[in-house]
Amino acid sequence: DAKTTQPNSMESNEEEPVHLPCNHSTISGTDYIHWYRQLPSQGPEYVIHGLTSNVNNRMASLAIAEDRKSSTLILHRATLRDAAVYYCILRESGNTGKLIFGQGTTLQVKP
Amino acid sequence: GAVVSQHPSWVICKSGTSVKIECRSLDFQATTMFWYRQFPKQSLMLMATSNEGSKATYEQGVEKDKFLINHASLTLSTLTVTSAHPEDSSFYICSASIAGVRAGELFFGEGSRLTVL
């Protein structure tokens, strides 16, 4: 399984943008880049995913490097509710592709 | 959006008993579901992949006779922890993807916290 590397923790101020980096230098051509976040005592929540092109949704944006060896999750305006552990995961193509979680980045948002 | 529901959300049992946790996809069909466990302050660890109508595929190091997984329908998978012991106390989480959607997002349940006394 291709692995990802993320910083253990990051801090942000409320209402400022947050850029969460992820390295995945061993990504294969068919791996999708997924991001999930988890609040304490809850199941993970889907944030965004992409393959090659940058992606935007109501929660965040995903910027994917041209060589696909890294990506950045962008929260445009952090709120206190965005404080969570963010996981960057590579998912194999196909409906049965499993998600192998790394340690993720713990994001703290300061008021 | 698609919803995955787990039941029970928490359970306390005595050592040696068996506990069943249900995972349901409420508004979509899921041919594949995944079971995870999570210890405090740690990441999720994949236990097994559950496929509707066939045997589950277990990750290395996970005892298939201890963690029985059944996926009898397209909307229900169950995890039974047999002869539970205190070291099995953990947060168990299931997830599912919509049948036919390739590499799409996974939807996670709320998790089930098991405490074995």
Side-chain angles (χ1 to χ4, degrees), chain A residues 2-93:
Chain A
K3 292 184 178 179
T4 63
T5 305
Q6 299 176 252
N8 287 334
S9 62
M10 290 185 65
E11 284 187 358
S12 172
N13 293 318
E14 195 175 12
E15 298 194 358
E16 290 185 355
V18 182
H19 291 233
L20 298 167
C22 180
N23 288 319
H24 29 78
S25 58
T26 59
I27 189 171
S28 74
T30 56
D31 285 339
Y32 283 74
I33 302 162
H34 281 238
W35 283 83
Y36 294 79
R37 68 183 186 182
Q38 185 181 28
L39 279 67
S41 298
Q42 295 186 23
E45 174 188 28
Y46 168 80
V47 178
I48 201 166
H49 78 285
L51 183 62
T52 57
S53 303
N54 294 344
V55 184
N56 299 296
N57 66 20
R58 63 176 179 80
M59 289 183 69
S61 295
L62 176 60
I64 302 173
E66 195 169 335
D67 63 4
R68 300 210 326 127
K69 294 186 177 182
S70 65
S71 61
T72 302
L73 179 70
I74 303 166
L75 305 179
H76 295 288
R77 288 183 64 193
T79 69
L80 296 179
R81 289 179 296 178
D82 291 324
V85 180
Y86 285 79
Y87 296 99
C88 166
I89 309 166
L90 302 181
R91 187 181 188 204
E92 299 168 359
S93 177

Side-chain angles (χ1 to χ4, degrees), chain B residues 5 21 53 72 108:
Chain B
S5 178
I21 299 171
F108 286 82

Side-chain angles (χ1 to χ4, degrees), chain B residues 21-92:
Chain B
I21 299 171
E22 293 185 347
C23 177
R24 294 181 183 273
S25 56
L26 296 185
D27 49 3
F28 66 98
Q29 293 184 334
T31 52
T32 303
M33 290 184 173
F34 304 91
W35 285 96
Y36 295 84
R37 66 188 298 182
Q38 185 176 32
F39 293 109
K41 299 190 184 301
Q42 294 188 22
S43 184
L44 285 77
M45 185 194 80
L46 180 65
M47 299 175 67
T49 302
S50 168
N51 299 297
E52 187 266 337
S54 64
K55 291 183 178 180
T57 303
Y58 291 81
E59 294 298 305
Q60 191 173 7
V62 177
E63 300 175 58
K64 61 181 180 181
D65 294 331
K66 179 156 185 70
F67 299 100
L68 301 179
I69 292 173
N70 183 279
H71 193 155
S73 77
L74 288 173
T75 59
L76 174 64
S77 176
T78 60
L79 167 68
T80 301
V81 183
T82 62
S83 186
H85 292 284
E87 58 265 30
D88 298 323
S89 298
S90 188
F91 194 46
Y92 292 87

Side-chain angles (χ1 to χ4, degrees), chain B residues 9-21:
Chain B
S9 55
W10 59 270
V11 56
I12 301 172
C13 70
K14 293 182 179 180
S15 185
T17 61
S18 295
V19 175
K20 180 186 285 188
I21 299 171

